Amino acid sequence: MISITPESRYNSLIDLRKGEIGREIFSSRDIYEEELEKVFTRAWLFVGHESQIPEPGDFFSSRMGGESVILARDKKRKVHVFLNSCRHRGMKVCQYDHGNTQLFTCPYHSWSYTTDGKLFGVPQFKSLYEGCMEKEAWSLIEVPRMETYKGTVWASWDKDAPDLLTYLGDAKTHLDLALDCRDGREGGSEVLFGVHKWIIPCNWKFAAENFLGDTYHNVSHRSVDLIGIGPSAEAGVKGRRDNEMEKARHVWVNFPAGHGVHSAIMPEDWEFLNTYQNNPVVAEYFREAHAKRKERLGAERHRLIPFVGTIYPNVSFHGNQPRNLCVWHPHGPESTEAWRFFLVDADAPQEVKDFLRSYYMRYSGPAGMTEQDDMENWNYATAGSRGVIAKRYPYNYTQSLGRVGTDGPVAGNVSLQVSEENPRQFYRRWRDYMNGADWDTLLGRRDAGPASIAG
Ligand code: FES
Ligand code: FE
């Protein structure tokens, strides 16, 4: 009798030598449950931005994998990430999306916790619990690893996880420009008030994969461009902007930990052609910001423009305008809760922030023109992964198989043409997590090279 070990199951579902991936990883309930355990309790996950909790007592309810967590700033201004679950019977101690509080009070039996997580109040403690329970032992459950980076807050449930910068590796270069294209000086970036949250009937990996640099799907957005209502379609600007982009050198880059980006190296004298020309204040702001960016980053670094990327497993970003982070929270094998955080320069004039708010909403989020195109694809792709007959046939991931190198113009495994090397690397790591690999493997310290060659 042949036994199917988890390892042999995932090795056969992810066949990178052939460039084939089994459909069931996008729809199976048991694989989904296993992902929550094996991927989402280990990888670094984005939980929020410091600008959302500037003052002591501020909190923002977030998620890690399938679970609710609280991002909080305590009285001493220290940032914490707690599981949003009472130690008594598990009720959510924080019912609000965001706010300010001195205590998190559980609505069930009223146990209360301080903003640094300590159990503070227990009704009728003296008569019911004294001598039976040590309050100190029943604090909120706090993540063992939490780090902040350029305003972003990340956490991992794995105490042995590498530090965040090691985990990001060279993907940091691209992410940096998305998080704060002014390189952390001046006021940095802030999240525009109001995180967009919505549920998509798709597997989370379709969304994460799309942002690894699936430029190949741009045909999906053709209708938005054709009718001139897309964010890049302002009369006279789009054509010139397209010319700039054609002169750019495009790179699709993946990194050992499973991250991937699509960026462009612009011509030396590239000019920023923004789409805000119908608002002189905004247009002027971006003209100046562009010039200052060049001054600060230096001519070479200024040429790098990150379009999109995914930090493994489920944090994607747009790196140029619009700048945002999107988290694809797993919500079920065929359900994803998307949260989009829009970034603006913290010290930009209010008029610029207001303009960007409507610009971003037109572009991304549940009502965004381009996002709707993408969601439709992911919805049907998820349904197409479920059928009894369909599941017998793997998906094709052979695009540009083997055409990748490490001697490109930027660090990482670089493709100079549209390529599925980034998703191949992503799924190689996904397979490693599902096989319970150690951190040396998950960081690529034991690999033989690009995913299309090493298998
Ligand atoms: Fe929170 Fe009982 S569940 S106090
Ligand atoms: Fe798209």
Side-chain angles (χ1 to χ4, degrees):
M1 190 172 142
I2 300 168
S3 73
I4 307 284
T5 62
E7 195 155 3
S8 61
R9 182 185 192 190
Y10 292 115
N11 291 349
S12 72
L13 282 168
I14 310 291
D15 188 336
L16 297 172
R17 281 180 196 279
K18 284 203 226 161
E20 292 181 0
I21 291 181
R23 295 183 185 217
E24 66 190 271
I25 74 162
F26 300 104
S27 64
S28 151
R29 164 67 58 183
D30 67 298
I31 289 178
Y32 168 77
E33 300 288 350
E34 222 176 310
E35 277 176 338
L36 293 180
E37 173 76 36
K38 293 184 168 172
V39 176
F40 288 93
T41 64
R42 297 189 70 194
W44 280 98
L45 305 173
F46 171 77
V47 290
H49 195 276
E50 285 193 275
S51 65
Q52 296 176 286
I53 50 160
E55 300 301 328
D58 283 352
F59 65 86
F60 169 69
S61 291
S62 189
R63 290 172 65 95
M64 289 175 70
E67 292 172 276
S68 174
V69 296
I70 310 166
L71 170 63
R73 192 179 290 277
D74 72 18
K75 272 199 207 156
K76 294 180 181 155
R77 309 196 76 89
K78 188 166 181 275
V79 175
H80 301 266
V81 178
F82 304 114
L83 195 65
N84 187 4
S85 177
C86 183
R87 295 297 303 274
H88 183 222
R89 291 290 184 280
M91 177 63 184
K92 278 172 97 169
V93 296
C94 179
Q95 301 273 309
Y96 300 94
D97 287 347
H98 57 86
N100 182 282
T101 190
Q102 294 198 344
L103 292 172
F104 295 107
T105 303
C106 177
Y108 200 168
H109 310 90
S110 268
W111 284 21
S112 60
Y113 301 85
T114 54
T115 50
D116 59 358
K118 301 207 169 49
L119 179 58
F120 177 77
V122 175
Q124 302 172 66
F125 181 79
K126 270 197 170 314
S127 55
L128 302 180
Y129 285 97
E130 202 157 50
C132 310
M133 163 175 83
E134 298 296 328
K135 271 196 206 168
E136 297 70 32
W138 295 90
S139 301
L140 288 175
I141 296 159
E142 185 159 12
V143 289
R145 302 293 302 280
M146 193 275 304
E147 286 191 40
T148 58
Y149 181 67
K150 283 186 185 280
T152 53
V153 184
W154 303 72
S156 166
W157 289 111
D158 185 351
K159 65 177 177 29
D160 298 321
D163 63 80
L164 179 64
L165 291 186
T166 301
Y167 181 80
L168 294 175
D170 289 320
K172 188 174 86 63
T173 307
H174 306 259
L175 183 66
D176 278 354
L177 296 170
L179 294 183
D180 185 3
C181 57
R182 297 177 310 164
D183 214 19
R185 278 173 258 190
E186 297 183 342
S189 293
E190 68 181 21
V191 170
L192 270 179
F193 183 75
V195 175
H196 281 197
K197 302 176 180 178
W198 73 105
I199 290 177
I200 315 172
C202 77
N203 185 275
W204 67 272
K205 293 188 289 302
F206 277 122
E209 174 192 317
N210 191 94
F211 277 80
L212 289 165
D214 181 358
T215 321
Y216 196 51
H217 85 282
N218 281 359
V219 65
S220 298
H221 302 302
R222 193 141 163 72
S223 58
V224 171
D225 279 344
L226 276 177
I227 57 174
I229 54 173
S232 62
E234 190 177 313
V237 174
K238 179 173 162 41
R240 285 188 288 141
R241 185 167 148 156
D242 285 350
N243 286 342
E244 284 280 323
M245 290 304 158
E246 269 165 35
K247 282 190 268 165
R249 194 166 180 206
H250 289 253
V251 287
W252 289 262
V253 196
N254 66 74
F255 306 92
H259 326 307
V261 301
H262 167 206
S263 294
I265 300 164
M266 305 300 287
E268 261 172 45
D269 55 344
W270 74 285
E271 181 197 351
F272 182 69
L273 287 168
N274 64 47
T275 54
Y276 318 121
Q277 314 232 338
N278 54 4
N279 182 317
V281 174
V282 178
E284 185 51 30
Y285 179 78
F286 277 101
R287 233 187 320 277
E288 268 181 29
H290 179 78
K292 281 189 193 163
R293 181 186 192 271
K294 186 171 183 179
E295 216 176 280
R296 291 191 187 101
L297 300 181
E300 268 315 296
R301 199 157 161 242
H302 173 65
R303 289 173 64 192
L304 186 68
I305 294 290
F307 291 133
V308 292
T310 290
I311 301 299
Y312 186 93
N314 67 333
V315 188
S316 297
F317 61 89
H318 278 117
N320 195 15
Q321 301 302 343
R323 287 196 294 134
N324 60 58
L325 290 158
C326 196
V327 188
W328 313 108
H329 294 295
H331 204 260
E334 299 189 1
S335 182
T336 296
E337 188 166 328
W339 288 14
R340 201 173 278 282
F341 301 70
F342 293 105
L343 295 168
V344 290
D345 296 342
D347 57 2
Q350 192 57 42
E351 188 170 348
V352 171
K353 292 182 185 177
D354 292 343
F355 181 91
L356 286 176
R357 176 187 299 282
S358 57
Y359 173 83
Y360 288 167
M361 283 164 66
R362 193 174 55 166
Y363 187 89
S364 298
M369 303 289 179
T370 38
E371 193 105 52
Q372 291 181 48
D373 298 330
D374 292 326
M375 288 191 284
E376 189 176 25
N377 292 330
W378 306 335
N379 297 354
Y380 283 108
T382 297
S385 306
R386 179 198 313 142
V388 177
I389 301 298
K391 269 197 295 196
R392 296 178 189 167
Y393 298 88
Y395 287 133
N396 181 315
Y397 282 80
T398 62
Q399 189 183 89
S400 301
L401 193 66
R403 296 177 201 166
V404 66
T406 49
D407 56 351
V410 290
N413 290 320
V414 181
S415 294
L416 298 174
Q417 65 186 73
V418 179
S419 163
E420 283 173 350
E421 187 69 9
N422 290 7
R424 283 191 289 271
Q425 175 68 0
F426 177 92
Y427 290 114
R428 172 156 74 167
R429 282 298 163 254
W430 181 86
R431 183 185 65 189
D432 292 337
Y433 275 85
M434 296 301 270
N435 285 339
D438 62 17
W439 275 107
D440 276 345
T441 303
L442 299 177
L443 293 174
R445 290 172 180 152
R446 290 217 181 99
D447 285 342
S452 63
I453 297 163

